[in-house]
Amino acid sequence: MAWRSTRTGAVRLCGVLAGAILLAGCDADSEAKDTPSKDPVAATREACPGLLDAAAGEALQRVLQSSYLVPDDDQRVGATAMARAVEDMRPVPVCLATGQVGSGSRVGEIRLRPGPEGERGRSVRVMSRDNARAIAFDCESPRMGAPGTLRLTVTFENQWEQGAWKAELGNDYLVIAHSAARALTRELSCRDGGGLPEQAAALPAPTS
């Protein structure tokens, strides 16, 4: 009887241990499932380092219809690289933001164009196309070289939605271009922020 009692106790102990292991496994699975995934806004903002604030990151998600980007270290062009190219009077690299959608991808482009010289001294100007918004402004800075002031144009262009532009995305294009322009004025130490308002909504009405 003593042997049977001991055996019964051993069986019960094994059952308890097995249950504990099973529960531990369930808890581990639960914790794994509850672990939050990477913030999609933060992931989108990584597209063009330093160019996109939170609002612009959300706008880029809507334009690309994707929360995450295709990893491409060769295209990680941001505010620092663009500003340095302007200072060195070299061709300015573009930032390509590529969102993965199913088996395909969608691309947005942020670019900075210096000049032309004849437009210096004009006020902030917004230009509009079906698939893009551009913001032109003057940057007065000791980092601009001898003239001290340079006319700059920052453009965001939606490259993927060929022939089916959505008018409602126009404001998102503007928010992205405005964020990039403001970031570049800070990077280049432009006087008075290049005259750009703090919010995209305060920009002048766009022209074609």
Short mmCIF file of all heavy atoms in Angstrom, two decimals, residues 77-133:
data_model
loop_
_atom_site.label_atom_id
_atom_site.label_comp_id
_atom_site.label_asym_id
_atom_site.label_seq_id
_atom_site.Cartn_x
_atom_site.Cartn_y
_atom_site.Cartn_z
N VAL A 77 18.42 58.44 -47.80
CA VAL A 77 18.85 59.84 -47.95
C VAL A 77 17.98 60.69 -47.03
O VAL A 77 16.75 60.54 -47.02
CB VAL A 77 18.70 60.31 -49.41
CG1 VAL A 77 19.00 61.79 -49.52
CG2 VAL A 77 19.61 59.50 -50.31
N GLY A 78 18.59 61.56 -46.29
CA GLY A 78 17.83 62.40 -45.36
C GLY A 78 18.28 63.84 -45.38
O GLY A 78 18.98 64.29 -46.30
N ALA A 79 17.89 64.58 -44.34
CA ALA A 79 18.16 66.01 -44.27
C ALA A 79 19.65 66.32 -44.31
O ALA A 79 20.09 67.25 -44.99
CB ALA A 79 17.53 66.57 -43.00
N THR A 80 20.45 65.54 -43.59
CA THR A 80 21.89 65.82 -43.52
C THR A 80 22.55 65.68 -44.88
O THR A 80 23.32 66.55 -45.30
CB THR A 80 22.57 64.88 -42.51
OG1 THR A 80 21.98 65.08 -41.22
CG2 THR A 80 24.05 65.15 -42.42
N ALA A 81 22.25 64.59 -45.59
CA ALA A 81 22.87 64.36 -46.90
C ALA A 81 22.45 65.43 -47.90
O ALA A 81 23.28 65.91 -48.69
CB ALA A 81 22.49 62.97 -47.42
N MET A 82 21.18 65.81 -47.88
CA MET A 82 20.70 66.83 -48.82
C MET A 82 21.36 68.18 -48.53
O MET A 82 21.81 68.88 -49.45
CB MET A 82 19.18 66.95 -48.73
CG MET A 82 18.42 65.80 -49.36
SD MET A 82 16.63 66.11 -49.31
CE MET A 82 16.03 64.76 -50.30
N ALA A 83 21.39 68.57 -47.26
CA ALA A 83 21.97 69.86 -46.89
C ALA A 83 23.45 69.92 -47.23
O ALA A 83 23.96 70.94 -47.73
CB ALA A 83 21.76 70.12 -45.40
N ARG A 84 24.16 68.83 -46.99
CA ARG A 84 25.60 68.81 -47.28
C ARG A 84 25.84 68.97 -48.78
O ARG A 84 26.78 69.66 -49.21
CB ARG A 84 26.21 67.51 -46.78
CG ARG A 84 27.73 67.47 -46.90
CD ARG A 84 28.30 66.24 -46.24
NE ARG A 84 28.07 66.25 -44.80
CZ ARG A 84 27.50 65.27 -44.12
NH1 ARG A 84 27.08 64.19 -44.74
NH2 ARG A 84 27.36 65.36 -42.81
N ALA A 85 24.99 68.36 -49.61
CA ALA A 85 25.14 68.50 -51.06
C ALA A 85 24.92 69.94 -51.50
O ALA A 85 25.62 70.45 -52.38
CB ALA A 85 24.17 67.56 -51.77
N VAL A 86 23.93 70.62 -50.88
CA VAL A 86 23.69 72.02 -51.20
C VAL A 86 24.90 72.87 -50.83
O VAL A 86 25.36 73.72 -51.62
CB VAL A 86 22.43 72.53 -50.47
CG1 VAL A 86 22.30 74.05 -50.62
CG2 VAL A 86 21.19 71.85 -51.02
N GLU A 87 25.43 72.67 -49.65
CA GLU A 87 26.60 73.43 -49.19
C GLU A 87 27.80 73.22 -50.10
O GLU A 87 28.55 74.15 -50.38
CB GLU A 87 26.97 73.02 -47.77
CG GLU A 87 25.94 73.43 -46.73
CD GLU A 87 26.27 72.86 -45.36
OE1 GLU A 87 27.39 72.34 -45.17
OE2 GLU A 87 25.41 72.95 -44.48
N ASP A 88 27.97 71.99 -50.58
CA ASP A 88 29.13 71.66 -51.43
C ASP A 88 28.86 71.92 -52.90
O ASP A 88 29.72 71.65 -53.74
CB ASP A 88 29.51 70.18 -51.24
CG ASP A 88 29.97 69.86 -49.83
OD1 ASP A 88 30.33 70.81 -49.10
OD2 ASP A 88 29.95 68.67 -49.46
N MET A 89 27.66 72.44 -53.20
CA MET A 89 27.25 72.72 -54.58
C MET A 89 27.37 71.47 -55.47
O MET A 89 27.85 71.52 -56.58
CB MET A 89 28.05 73.89 -55.15
CG MET A 89 27.73 75.20 -54.47
SD MET A 89 28.52 76.64 -55.23
CE MET A 89 30.24 76.30 -54.89
N ARG A 90 26.94 70.33 -54.91
CA ARG A 90 26.92 69.07 -55.64
C ARG A 90 25.48 68.72 -55.99
O ARG A 90 24.54 69.27 -55.40
CB ARG A 90 27.51 67.94 -54.79
CG ARG A 90 28.99 68.08 -54.49
CD ARG A 90 29.49 66.87 -53.73
NE ARG A 90 29.04 66.83 -52.34
CZ ARG A 90 28.10 66.02 -51.86
NH1 ARG A 90 27.46 65.18 -52.65
NH2 ARG A 90 27.77 66.05 -50.58
N PRO A 91 25.26 67.80 -56.94
CA PRO A 91 23.88 67.33 -57.20
C PRO A 91 23.28 66.78 -55.91
O PRO A 91 23.91 66.03 -55.18
CB PRO A 91 24.09 66.22 -58.23
CG PRO A 91 25.36 66.58 -58.92
CD PRO A 91 26.23 67.19 -57.86
N VAL A 92 22.04 67.19 -55.62
CA VAL A 92 21.39 66.80 -54.37
C VAL A 92 20.72 65.44 -54.54
O VAL A 92 19.91 65.25 -55.46
CB VAL A 92 20.35 67.85 -53.94
CG1 VAL A 92 19.71 67.44 -52.61
CG2 VAL A 92 20.98 69.23 -53.84
N PRO A 93 21.04 64.47 -53.68
CA PRO A 93 20.39 63.15 -53.79
C PRO A 93 18.92 63.24 -53.42
O PRO A 93 18.50 64.15 -52.69
CB PRO A 93 21.16 62.29 -52.78
CG PRO A 93 21.66 63.28 -51.76
CD PRO A 93 21.97 64.53 -52.52
N VAL A 94 18.13 62.32 -53.93
CA VAL A 94 16.70 62.27 -53.61
C VAL A 94 16.46 61.19 -52.58
O VAL A 94 17.25 60.25 -52.44
CB VAL A 94 15.83 62.02 -54.86
CG1 VAL A 94 16.06 63.08 -55.91
CG2 VAL A 94 16.11 60.63 -55.43
N CYS A 95 15.35 61.31 -51.86
CA CYS A 95 14.93 60.25 -50.95
C CYS A 95 13.76 59.52 -51.58
O CYS A 95 12.75 60.15 -51.93
CB CYS A 95 14.50 60.83 -49.60
SG CYS A 95 13.77 59.56 -48.54
N LEU A 96 13.90 58.22 -51.74
CA LEU A 96 12.82 57.38 -52.24
C LEU A 96 12.24 56.59 -51.08
O LEU A 96 12.95 55.86 -50.39
CB LEU A 96 13.33 56.41 -53.32
CG LEU A 96 13.83 57.05 -54.61
CD1 LEU A 96 14.32 55.96 -55.56
CD2 LEU A 96 12.75 57.88 -55.27
N ALA A 97 10.94 56.75 -50.85
CA ALA A 97 10.24 55.99 -49.81
C ALA A 97 9.40 54.93 -50.50
O ALA A 97 8.47 55.25 -51.24
CB ALA A 97 9.36 56.92 -48.99
N THR A 98 9.74 53.66 -50.28
CA THR A 98 9.06 52.55 -50.97
C THR A 98 8.26 51.73 -49.98
O THR A 98 8.82 51.14 -49.06
CB THR A 98 10.10 51.64 -51.67
OG1 THR A 98 10.90 52.43 -52.54
CG2 THR A 98 9.39 50.56 -52.47
N GLY A 99 6.95 51.70 -50.16
CA GLY A 99 6.08 50.92 -49.29
C GLY A 99 5.72 49.59 -49.93
O GLY A 99 5.38 49.55 -51.11
N GLN A 100 5.80 48.53 -49.14
CA GLN A 100 5.44 47.20 -49.65
C GLN A 100 3.94 47.00 -49.52
O GLN A 100 3.37 47.17 -48.45
CB GLN A 100 6.17 46.11 -48.86
CG GLN A 100 6.01 44.71 -49.42
CD GLN A 100 6.79 44.52 -50.72
OE1 GLN A 100 7.94 44.91 -50.81
NE2 GLN A 100 6.15 43.95 -51.72
N VAL A 101 3.30 46.64 -50.62
CA VAL A 101 1.86 46.38 -50.64
C VAL A 101 1.64 45.06 -51.36
O VAL A 101 1.74 44.98 -52.58
CB VAL A 101 1.08 47.50 -51.35
CG1 VAL A 101 -0.42 47.20 -51.32
CG2 VAL A 101 1.38 48.85 -50.73
N GLY A 102 1.36 43.98 -50.59
CA GLY A 102 1.22 42.67 -51.18
C GLY A 102 2.51 42.26 -51.86
O GLY A 102 3.59 42.34 -51.30
N SER A 103 2.41 41.87 -53.12
CA SER A 103 3.60 41.48 -53.87
C SER A 103 4.21 42.64 -54.64
O SER A 103 5.20 42.48 -55.34
CB SER A 103 3.25 40.36 -54.86
OG SER A 103 2.25 40.81 -55.77
N GLY A 104 3.60 43.83 -54.50
CA GLY A 104 4.09 45.00 -55.22
C GLY A 104 4.62 46.06 -54.28
O GLY A 104 4.73 45.86 -53.07
N SER A 105 4.96 47.20 -54.84
CA SER A 105 5.47 48.30 -54.03
C SER A 105 5.00 49.62 -54.61
O SER A 105 4.65 49.71 -55.80
CB SER A 105 7.00 48.26 -53.97
OG SER A 105 7.55 48.40 -55.27
N ARG A 106 5.00 50.65 -53.75
CA ARG A 106 4.58 51.99 -54.15
C ARG A 106 5.63 52.97 -53.68
O ARG A 106 6.14 52.84 -52.56
CB ARG A 106 3.21 52.31 -53.56
CG ARG A 106 2.13 51.40 -54.14
CD ARG A 106 0.82 51.48 -53.39
NE ARG A 106 -0.18 50.62 -54.02
CZ ARG A 106 -1.37 50.37 -53.52
NH1 ARG A 106 -1.72 50.91 -52.37
NH2 ARG A 106 -2.22 49.59 -54.15
N VAL A 107 5.94 53.95 -54.50
CA VAL A 107 7.08 54.82 -54.24
C VAL A 107 6.68 56.29 -54.18
O VAL A 107 5.91 56.78 -55.01
CB VAL A 107 8.16 54.63 -55.34
CG1 VAL A 107 9.35 55.53 -55.08
CG2 VAL A 107 8.60 53.18 -55.41
N GLY A 108 7.21 56.96 -53.18
CA GLY A 108 7.12 58.41 -53.08
C GLY A 108 8.52 58.98 -53.09
O GLY A 108 9.47 58.34 -52.64
N GLU A 109 8.68 60.19 -53.61
CA GLU A 109 10.02 60.79 -53.74
C GLU A 109 10.03 62.19 -53.14
O GLU A 109 9.13 63.00 -53.39
CB GLU A 109 10.42 60.87 -55.21
CG GLU A 109 11.77 61.54 -55.46
CD GLU A 109 12.08 61.67 -56.93
OE1 GLU A 109 12.39 60.63 -57.56
OE2 GLU A 109 11.99 62.78 -57.47
N ILE A 110 11.06 62.46 -52.34
CA ILE A 110 11.31 63.81 -51.82
C ILE A 110 12.60 64.30 -52.45
O ILE A 110 13.63 63.63 -52.38
CB ILE A 110 11.44 63.83 -50.29
CG1 ILE A 110 10.13 63.37 -49.64
CG2 ILE A 110 11.81 65.23 -49.80
CD1 ILE A 110 10.21 63.25 -48.12
N ARG A 111 12.54 65.47 -53.07
CA ARG A 111 13.76 66.01 -53.69
C ARG A 111 13.90 67.50 -53.37
O ARG A 111 12.92 68.20 -53.12
CB ARG A 111 13.78 65.78 -55.20
CG ARG A 111 12.61 66.36 -55.97
CD ARG A 111 12.74 66.02 -57.46
NE ARG A 111 11.62 66.57 -58.23
CZ ARG A 111 10.51 65.91 -58.49
NH1 ARG A 111 10.35 64.67 -58.03
NH2 ARG A 111 9.54 66.47 -59.19
N LEU A 112 15.12 67.96 -53.43
CA LEU A 112 15.47 69.36 -53.15
C LEU A 112 16.20 69.90 -54.36
O LEU A 112 17.18 69.30 -54.83
CB LEU A 112 16.35 69.44 -51.91
CG LEU A 112 17.03 70.78 -51.62
CD1 LEU A 112 15.99 71.86 -51.34
CD2 LEU A 112 17.99 70.66 -50.45
N ARG A 113 15.73 71.06 -54.87
CA ARG A 113 16.37 71.67 -56.04
C ARG A 113 16.79 73.10 -55.69
O ARG A 113 15.95 73.93 -55.37
CB ARG A 113 15.40 71.69 -57.22
CG ARG A 113 15.97 72.34 -58.47
CD ARG A 113 14.97 72.26 -59.62
NE ARG A 113 13.75 72.99 -59.35
CZ ARG A 113 13.57 74.27 -59.61
NH1 ARG A 113 14.53 75.00 -60.14
NH2 ARG A 113 12.40 74.86 -59.34
N PRO A 114 18.07 73.42 -55.77
CA PRO A 114 18.52 74.79 -55.58
C PRO A 114 18.23 75.64 -56.83
O PRO A 114 18.22 75.13 -57.95
CB PRO A 114 20.04 74.66 -55.38
CG PRO A 114 20.28 73.21 -55.14
CD PRO A 114 19.19 72.48 -55.87
N GLY A 115 17.99 76.94 -56.62
CA GLY A 115 17.82 77.88 -57.73
C GLY A 115 16.41 77.85 -58.30
O GLY A 115 15.52 77.23 -57.74
N PRO A 116 16.22 78.56 -59.44
CA PRO A 116 17.23 79.35 -60.13
C PRO A 116 17.52 80.68 -59.43
O PRO A 116 16.71 81.17 -58.65
CB PRO A 116 16.61 79.57 -61.51
CG PRO A 116 15.13 79.54 -61.27
CD PRO A 116 14.93 78.54 -60.16
N GLU A 117 18.67 81.26 -59.76
CA GLU A 117 19.12 82.48 -59.10
C GLU A 117 18.12 83.62 -59.24
O GLU A 117 17.92 84.42 -58.34
CB GLU A 117 20.49 82.91 -59.68
CG GLU A 117 21.64 81.98 -59.32
CD GLU A 117 22.00 82.07 -57.85
OE1 GLU A 117 21.88 83.15 -57.27
OE2 GLU A 117 22.39 81.03 -57.29
N GLY A 118 17.48 83.72 -60.41
CA GLY A 118 16.59 84.85 -60.67
C GLY A 118 15.36 84.90 -59.78
O GLY A 118 14.68 85.93 -59.73
N GLU A 119 15.06 83.80 -59.07
CA GLU A 119 13.87 83.77 -58.24
C GLU A 119 14.14 84.17 -56.79
O GLU A 119 13.21 84.20 -55.98
CB GLU A 119 13.25 82.37 -58.28
CG GLU A 119 12.66 82.01 -59.63
CD GLU A 119 11.82 80.75 -59.57
OE1 GLU A 119 11.75 80.14 -58.49
OE2 GLU A 119 11.24 80.39 -60.61
N ARG A 120 15.38 84.45 -56.47
CA ARG A 120 15.69 84.84 -55.09
C ARG A 120 14.95 86.13 -54.72
O ARG A 120 14.75 87.02 -55.55
CB ARG A 120 17.20 85.04 -54.90
CG ARG A 120 17.95 83.75 -54.72
CD ARG A 120 19.37 84.02 -54.31
NE ARG A 120 20.09 84.82 -55.28
CZ ARG A 120 21.24 85.44 -55.04
NH1 ARG A 120 21.79 85.37 -53.85
NH2 ARG A 120 21.84 86.14 -55.97
N GLY A 121 14.60 86.24 -53.45
CA GLY A 121 13.92 87.45 -52.99
C GLY A 121 12.41 87.38 -53.09
O GLY A 121 11.72 88.32 -52.70
N ARG A 122 11.89 86.27 -53.60
CA ARG A 122 10.44 86.11 -53.68
C ARG A 122 9.92 85.47 -52.40
O ARG A 122 10.67 84.87 -51.62
CB ARG A 122 10.07 85.25 -54.88
CG ARG A 122 10.52 85.85 -56.21
CD ARG A 122 10.14 84.96 -57.37
NE ARG A 122 8.68 84.82 -57.48
CZ ARG A 122 8.09 84.11 -58.43
NH1 ARG A 122 8.82 83.47 -59.32
NH2 ARG A 122 6.78 84.01 -58.48
N SER A 123 8.64 85.61 -52.17
CA SER A 123 8.04 85.02 -50.97
C SER A 123 7.88 83.52 -51.15
O SER A 123 8.14 82.97 -52.22
CB SER A 123 6.67 85.66 -50.71
OG SER A 123 5.82 85.47 -51.83
N VAL A 124 7.44 82.87 -50.08
CA VAL A 124 7.19 81.42 -50.14
C VAL A 124 6.12 81.14 -51.18
O VAL A 124 5.10 81.83 -51.27
CB VAL A 124 6.74 80.90 -48.77
CG1 VAL A 124 6.32 79.43 -48.86
CG2 VAL A 124 7.86 81.07 -47.75
N ARG A 125 6.36 80.13 -52.00
CA ARG A 125 5.43 79.78 -53.06
C ARG A 125 5.16 78.28 -53.03
O ARG A 125 6.07 77.49 -52.82
CB ARG A 125 6.02 80.18 -54.42
CG ARG A 125 5.10 79.92 -55.60
CD ARG A 125 5.80 80.24 -56.90
NE ARG A 125 4.98 79.88 -58.05
CZ ARG A 125 5.45 79.69 -59.28
NH1 ARG A 125 6.74 79.84 -59.52
NH2 ARG A 125 4.64 79.37 -60.27
N VAL A 126 3.90 77.91 -53.24
CA VAL A 126 3.51 76.50 -53.30
C VAL A 126 3.02 76.20 -54.71
O VAL A 126 2.20 76.93 -55.26
CB VAL A 126 2.38 76.18 -52.30
CG1 VAL A 126 1.93 74.73 -52.43
CG2 VAL A 126 2.84 76.46 -50.88
N MET A 127 3.56 75.13 -55.30
CA MET A 127 3.17 74.72 -56.65
C MET A 127 2.51 73.35 -56.59
O MET A 127 2.90 72.50 -55.78
CB MET A 127 4.39 74.70 -57.56
CG MET A 127 4.94 76.10 -57.84
SD MET A 127 6.74 76.14 -58.06
CE MET A 127 7.29 75.94 -56.36
N SER A 128 1.53 73.16 -57.46
CA SER A 128 0.70 71.95 -57.40
C SER A 128 0.65 71.25 -58.74
O SER A 128 0.51 71.89 -59.79
CB SER A 128 -0.71 72.33 -56.95
OG SER A 128 -1.60 71.26 -57.10
N ARG A 129 0.77 69.91 -58.69
CA ARG A 129 0.47 69.05 -59.83
C ARG A 129 -0.40 67.92 -59.30
O ARG A 129 -0.51 67.72 -58.09
CB ARG A 129 1.75 68.47 -60.45
CG ARG A 129 2.66 69.48 -61.08
CD ARG A 129 3.61 68.82 -62.11
NE ARG A 129 4.21 67.60 -61.63
CZ ARG A 129 5.36 67.54 -60.95
NH1 ARG A 129 6.02 68.66 -60.66
NH2 ARG A 129 5.86 66.38 -60.55
N ASP A 130 -0.99 67.15 -60.22
CA ASP A 130 -1.88 66.07 -59.79
C ASP A 130 -1.20 65.13 -58.80
O ASP A 130 -1.82 64.67 -57.85
CB ASP A 130 -2.35 65.25 -61.00
CG ASP A 130 -3.41 65.98 -61.80
OD1 ASP A 130 -3.99 66.95 -61.26
OD2 ASP A 130 -3.65 65.60 -62.95
N ASN A 131 0.07 64.84 -59.04
CA ASN A 131 0.76 63.84 -58.23
C ASN A 131 1.87 64.42 -57.35
O ASN A 131 2.70 63.68 -56.84
CB ASN A 131 1.37 62.77 -59.14
CG ASN A 131 2.48 63.33 -60.03
OD1 ASN A 131 2.41 64.48 -60.46
ND2 ASN A 131 3.49 62.52 -60.31
N ALA A 132 1.88 65.75 -57.16
CA ALA A 132 2.99 66.34 -56.42
C ALA A 132 2.62 67.70 -55.83
O ALA A 132 1.68 68.37 -56.28
CB ALA A 132 4.21 66.49 -57.33
N ARG A 133 3.39 68.09 -54.82
CA ARG A 133 3.35 69.44 -54.26
C ARG A 133 4.79 69.89 -54.07
O ARG A 133 5.65 69.11 -53.63
CB ARG A 133 2.61 69.50 -52.93
CG ARG A 133 1.12 69.21 -53.00
CD ARG A 133 0.35 70.28 -53.76
NE ARG A 133 -1.09 70.00 -53.72
CZ ARG A 133 -1.72 69.21 -54.58
NH1 ARG A 133 -1.04 68.58 -55.53
NH2 ARG A 133 -3.03 69.03 -54.49
#
